[in-house]
Amino acid sequence: MNFEIYEAKDEFGKEIISNLMQLYTYELSFYEDETTNFQLLDNGLFAMSKYLDLYWNEEKRHPYILKCDGKLVGFVLERYNENNMNEIGEFFVLKRCRKHGAGKFMANEMFKRYKGKWEIRTLLKNENAQKFWR
């Protein structure tokens, strides 16, 4: 498997990530608790975070798309936060690619590109994500 990652600061990248956010949010909705609210709208789409657009408008935020063998398989949103640390805002890999190193590749690429301290958070009920990041 040949992975590649590229920054998606253009409108086409924004459209791709916005579409993938629907799949990502659907998966996260399984881990919903009192700290989260994944709202499914009347049009059948999940409400998106008010912060999503900032990845295309702020210098310290970076949206990336992940491909495997030339096909779209995921995305990551990285930002430099108010605690002066790099942070994974959102991180998504299609299920069929998770056991093939896609997530590890994408995480390692972020750590290489953005040196310094990192902050990674997961939902409390998302044990798979906690295991991955450990």
Side-chain angles (χ1 to χ4, degrees):
M1 301 191 125
N2 182 31
F3 297 112
E4 60 181 315
I5 189 168
Y6 62 92
E7 192 164 14
K9 276 282 197 180
D10 62 5
E11 283 300 312
F12 186 59
K14 183 177 182 180
E15 182 181 352
I16 290 170
I17 290 175
S18 294
N19 291 340
L20 287 174
M21 283 290 294
Q22 291 297 314
L23 298 173
Y24 171 69
T25 305
Y26 169 74
E27 283 193 13
L28 286 182
S29 71
F30 288 96
Y31 307 107
E32 190 169 36
D33 61 19
E34 62 279 350
T35 66
T36 58
N37 180 17
F38 300 106
Q39 183 183 5
L40 186 62
L41 303 173
D42 290 338
N43 65 3
L45 298 174
F46 283 96
M48 288 294 102
S49 166
K50 62 184 177 182
Y51 300 107
L52 184 60
D53 284 338
L54 298 178
Y55 284 89
W56 286 268
N57 298 319
E58 290 187 3
E59 188 176 313
K60 293 184 178 184
R61 293 178 187 253
H62 307 277
Y64 287 88
I65 289 174
L66 176 67
K67 289 191 172 186
C68 178
D69 298 330
K71 295 183 181 178
L72 185 63
V73 297
F75 72 89
V76 59
L77 302 179
E78 184 278 339
R79 74 182 189 114
Y80 194 75
N81 69 23
E82 54 280 346
N83 298 323
N84 298 318
M85 297 171 68
N86 296 299
E87 179 182 351
I88 298 293
E90 310 294 345
F91 189 93
F92 175 71
V93 175
L94 291 174
K95 279 190 176 186
R96 69 175 182 252
C97 299
R98 290 182 189 166
K99 300 295 182 192
H100 301 285
K104 184 176 181 179
F105 172 84
M106 190 160 60
N108 285 332
E109 282 296 310
M110 291 297 98
F111 298 149
K112 284 182 208 172
R113 292 174 191 223
Y114 301 97
K115 304 291 185 198
K117 293 183 180 182
W118 278 86
E119 185 171 34
I120 311 286
R121 290 181 264 167
T122 67
L123 295 176
L124 293 173
K125 292 183 177 181
N126 192 344
E127 293 177 10
N128 289 333
Q130 292 167 22
K131 287 177 190 173
F132 172 80
W133 288 110
R134 284 188 185 114

